[in-house]
Amino acid sequence: MPTKSSFTRSLFLVLAFCLSGVMPAMAESRASYEAALDHLESIQVAKPQQARAEIERLLALKSELSNEQLSRLLISQSIVHLLDGKFQLALDNLQHAERLTVSNSRLTSNYLYQATTYLSLGDYESALDIIAKNLSRIEQLDELDIKISSYLRLTNLYASLEAYSEMTHYAQLVWQLSKDTDPLNHCYASLFLAVAEFKQAKYMQAEKLFQITQDFCAANNIPLVVAMSNKGKAETHLKRGNYSEALSLLLEAQAGYETFAFQMELNSVTALLAETYYHLQQPAQAKLAANAIMALPEAPINIENKVIASKVLAYLAHAEGNYQQAYDSLALHQALAKTLLDETKAKAQAYHMAKFENGEMTRQVRMLEQDRELYSARQELKALEDSRNSMILLVTLGGMVLVSIFGITTLVQKQRYKKLAQFDPLTGAYNRGIGQELAENIYVKTVAYHKPFSVIILDLDNFKLINDSYGHHAGDWSLKQVAKVVRKCISGQDMLVRMGGEEFAIFLPNRDSEAAQQIAELCREGIAAIEGKYNNYTFDITASFGVTSNLADDLSLDPITHRADLAMYRAKKAGRNTVVFQLDNSGETLPNAYQSKFALG
């Protein structure tokens, strides 16, 4: 289950808590409902239990609410669902609210909460899509307060994606836009800049920025962010081994959070106190704090704190000689830490894929703009030509025809050369260079959605004998026939690549090992059935196949292709004209269903 990092989760809640009053209320005749919704937005994070009761009361009266008021109510309910880890319910509410709202500020807030919810669901592609959609919309608005609050939320969302350069960019935008005019948002921006430095392990610079944030927010009476700054400074000291300083700052932060009854952030401080007490050799306090964290519900929002607490309990149990408890706590710690690591990998893949696709889109837009400029230039040229006498017009038109013919010829040649650069001219398969590059891109997109990816390597048997005995023309004819058979066995999403000589690779996105073996066997049977007759010569055509599928540790296609190669060589050793599936670099399985009954020697 996806989780947020401690800082990111806390910042989201601070924004939900504090920005709820930034958006102006619609002027409604039912002033009592507006007041009730204002009150609900002020307690939805700080007092979630009270907020739930108020939501139920207002839902019973929803027939009396305007569409805009119902939208506000649904957004508040979605925030409570987010706190409870009910992410799909939160998304359903937000999408319903989106259809009801007409306020630009409310719609902006809705989109950004939707992005947060998609992140919580682990659907990073949808989160990035809605971020881009909302950003393009708010850039066209003139309301400065909407832009500032939107940029703040974007900053937090990019922090969730661990995209710290974008996080810093939007935080700096808010910092500049709010300077000397908006202390509250300036305070938030300063905090985000400090967090970005901390997340990039720039602890000295982060501590300075946390101190600047603390001073500014204290001077402007924003105590919640003062508490967060204390916690941030404490974490920089923890990272540098300054445990006494960390303890003092954590206790200050704890006192600040208690004023707001900010339980989620109090839990985070408790986990950090457990770690700090352990390093200060105060085992009783460390165990008390760690056990308090482990007693929290099994919810995504508590995972990061439990990662810290379980590790502390493992060390304490080991020091006490309770090795079984130490082992159990360490095993739990590793399982929880793996959950966080898997989330980080998924976010990184989704983020880089989105950047790649956005880059492609930008390139296409640029090409369209160039085409439009070219069209405009031609229109101006035509207007100029129309103003001249008929003889000059004819000459000019004749020149344009020649230019057009030249352009068409150039385009045809360009397409021909592009095809030659991409495809093997003999078999029509992708050549090795472009084929492997395209397959690598497809592999990244496939595993980003946790889908399988399989590779087949096939090599014609005794191909040198065909070339030497019947001539290279017979060999070329054989390669063409093999490529034709393989194309009939694969689908449009699969890729056939000629790796060189008589060796081919088949890349199979979204295909598991069983499907890949079935395809390999189908290809093997089809190749063996080729009627080898060329220039009155008769010969057999067979191939050996190596098959493998991706493992969790495969970060690229290289190790998968290597395993498929090994499996293909094992097929050769097994007598050729057979299919071998290999699980890893050391062993293979030879399912009876896929072994040839007439393997050639």
Side-chain angles (χ1 to χ4, degrees):
M1 180 70 71
T3 64
K4 291 179 179 294
S5 70
S6 172
F7 263 127
T8 304
R9 181 174 62 247
S10 302
L11 288 170
F12 161 69
L13 292 172
V14 168
L15 289 176
F17 178 74
C18 298
L19 292 183
S20 57
V22 171
M23 296 176 290
M26 299 289 290
E28 297 286 341
S29 58
R30 302 181 182 88
S32 60
Y33 292 140
E34 286 294 315
L37 289 167
D38 289 341
H39 175 65
L40 174 59
E41 288 171 348
S42 71
I43 64 171
Q44 60 197 10
V45 172
K47 300 175 181 178
Q49 287 296 113
Q50 187 178 338
R52 291 186 191 94
E54 183 67 4
I55 286 169
E56 291 301 319
R57 185 183 75 81
L58 290 172
L59 282 173
L61 303 170
K62 67 179 182 180
S63 61
E64 301 177 22
L65 302 178
S66 68
N67 282 348
E68 196 70 23
Q69 289 172 329
L70 183 55
S71 173
R72 290 181 67 185
L73 177 58
L74 290 171
I75 291 175
S76 290
Q77 188 179 30
S78 71
I79 292 171
V80 173
H81 284 326
L82 278 171
L83 296 177
D84 292 340
K86 299 175 181 177
F87 304 127
Q88 189 57 53
L89 286 176
L91 184 60
D92 293 343
N93 278 4
L94 290 166
Q95 290 173 340
H96 184 189
E98 179 185 351
R99 295 190 292 271
L100 297 172
T101 190
V102 295
S103 162
N104 270 330
S105 59
R106 196 102 51 220
L107 187 59
T108 297
S109 179
N110 186 308
Y111 283 150
L112 293 167
Y113 281 129
Q114 283 191 49
T116 300
T117 308
Y118 279 123
L119 288 174
S120 300
L121 286 166
D123 187 351
Y124 303 116
E125 183 179 19
S126 295
L128 288 163
D129 285 345
I130 205 161
I131 288 172
K133 173 184 176 181
N134 189 57
L135 187 59
S136 63
R137 191 183 66 84
I138 63 175
E139 292 292 357
Q140 301 173 18
L141 300 177
D142 294 327
E143 293 94 331
L144 184 60
D145 59 335
I146 294 178
K147 286 190 175 183
I148 290 175
S149 62
S150 298
Y151 291 153
L152 273 175
R153 295 274 177 77
L154 282 170
T155 303
N156 190 35
L157 290 170
Y158 278 119
S160 298
L161 285 168
E162 301 179 24
Y164 300 121
S165 60
E166 282 81 358
M167 176 187 178
T168 301
H169 169 71
Y170 285 106
Q172 287 174 338
L173 274 179
V174 176
W175 194 89
Q176 289 290 344
L177 290 172
S178 60
K179 191 175 182 181
D180 301 326
T181 60
D182 188 346
L184 181 64
N185 287 323
H186 195 73
C187 177
Y188 297 149
S190 182
L191 180 65
F192 274 121
L193 290 171
V195 171
E197 295 296 298
F198 176 81
K199 286 296 186 178
Q200 296 174 87
K202 300 175 183 177
Y203 301 126
M204 295 293 291
Q205 182 64 17
E207 183 186 3
K208 292 177 183 177
L209 289 176
F210 278 125
Q211 186 61 57
I212 291 170
T213 302
Q214 181 181 2
D215 294 342
F216 179 84
C217 297
N220 287 277
N221 193 26
I222 309 172
L224 185 55
V225 183
V226 171
M228 297 191 77
S229 299
N230 272 324
K231 181 194 165 191
K233 289 194 297 181
E235 292 206 57
T236 66
H237 283 294
L238 262 177
K239 292 293 185 182
R240 290 177 288 160
N242 304 327
Y243 303 117
S244 296
E245 293 87 342
L247 177 61
S248 175
L249 289 164
L250 284 171
L251 292 175
E252 285 186 49
Q254 186 179 53
Y257 288 133
E258 284 172 347
T259 304
F260 294 91
F262 201 163
Q263 191 57 50
M264 186 175 301
E265 193 63 8
L266 285 168
N267 291 340
S268 177
V269 171
T270 301
L272 294 172
L273 282 171
E275 181 181 356
T276 306
Y277 282 130
Y278 168 76
H279 286 297
L280 289 172
Q281 299 181 5
Q282 299 180 34
Q285 293 93 324
K287 183 180 290 188
L288 184 65
N291 282 330
I293 294 299
M294 299 310 294
L296 293 173
E298 296 294 331
I301 208 163
N302 294 324
I303 288 182
E304 186 170 0
N305 293 332
K306 290 194 174 189
V307 168
I308 298 171
S310 57
K311 188 174 183 179
V312 170
L313 289 174
Y315 287 159
L316 290 172
H318 185 271
E320 294 169 355
N322 191 341
Y323 300 119
Q324 182 59 47
Q325 183 181 339
Y327 175 81
D328 292 342
S329 296
L330 189 58
L332 177 59
H333 165 76
Q334 291 173 337
L336 293 170
K338 185 178 183 301
T339 299
L340 295 179
L341 181 61
D342 289 345
E343 180 195 1
T344 298
K345 288 181 180 178
K347 286 190 291 192
Q349 287 176 332
Y351 172 65
H352 288 299
M353 186 191 308
K355 285 195 73 172
F356 171 78
E357 291 174 347
N358 184 62
E360 284 294 296
M361 187 178 298
T362 302
R363 183 181 64 81
Q364 292 175 16
V365 169
R366 190 179 301 118
M367 290 177 65
L368 287 173
E369 289 176 349
Q370 290 173 351
D371 289 344
R372 185 181 63 189
E373 290 172 1
L374 179 60
Y375 176 78
S376 298
R378 286 176 175 172
Q379 290 297 99
E380 292 176 6
L381 178 62
K382 186 176 182 301
L384 180 63
E385 290 168 348
D386 288 343
S387 65
R388 297 178 181 179
N389 61 51
S390 58
M391 183 62 71
I392 296 176
L393 179 60
L394 287 173
V395 173
T396 304
L397 287 174
M400 287 182 67
V401 169
L402 290 176
V403 169
S404 299
I405 293 172
F406 177 75
I408 292 170
T409 304
T410 302
L411 179 61
V412 171
Q413 286 292 99
K414 183 178 179 181
Q415 290 176 338
R416 178 171 174 268
Y417 291 140
K418 182 179 180 181
K419 184 173 181 180
L420 287 174
Q422 290 183 338
F423 296 98
D424 171 44
L426 178 64
T427 64
Y430 282 103
N431 66 38
R432 180 169 187 164
I434 192 68
Q436 285 187 310
E437 181 180 347
L438 291 174
E440 188 73 48
N441 290 336
I442 294 172
Y443 174 73
V444 170
K445 292 184 179 182
T446 302
V447 299
Y449 296 104
H450 306 291
K451 300 291 186 182
F453 194 103
S454 298
V455 176
I456 300 172
I457 298 291
L458 67 104
D459 189 270
L460 270 63
D461 298 326
N462 300 315
F463 184 71
K464 185 175 185 301
L465 183 61
I466 294 175
N467 274 335
D468 292 346
S469 301
Y470 312 113
H472 288 284
H473 290 297
D476 289 348
W477 178 86
S478 300
L479 291 170
K480 290 180 182 178
Q481 300 306 309
V482 167
K484 189 182 299 183
V485 166
V486 171
R487 283 196 194 89
K488 293 179 180 179
C489 300
I490 62 178
S491 70
Q493 70 171 350
D494 307 323
M495 287 183 59
L496 175 63
V497 178
R498 187 180 179 189
M499 303 298 281
E502 65 272 26
E503 183 177 275
F504 294 84
I506 307 172
F507 297 104
L508 304 167
N510 304 311
R511 306 272 199 174
D512 60 16
S513 58
E514 183 177 353
Q517 291 176 77
Q518 290 173 349
I519 291 171
E521 179 61 16
L522 193 62
C523 291
R524 187 199 65 75
E525 291 176 350
I527 292 170
I530 294 173
E531 188 176 1
K533 287 186 177 181
Y534 183 80
N535 279 353
N536 297 321
Y537 296 116
T538 302
F539 47 87
D540 293 328
I541 302 175
T542 63
S544 299
F545 291 77
V547 185
T548 192
S549 296
N550 66 307
L551 302 174
D553 295 334
D554 292 329
L555 300 179
S556 71
L557 270 181
D558 289 342
I560 310 173
T561 307
H562 177 65
R563 287 199 302 276
D565 261 327
L566 293 178
M568 185 270 291
Y569 286 119
R570 291 180 184 275
K572 293 283 189 185
K573 291 180 180 179
R576 301 186 179 90
N577 190 27
T578 191
V579 174
V580 169
F581 175 74
Q582 181 146 328
L583 293 172
D584 53 36
N585 291 328
S586 60
E588 83 283 351
T589 59
L590 292 169
N592 292 332
Y594 303 118
Q595 292 186 62
S596 170
K597 296 179 180 178
F598 47 93
L600 299 179

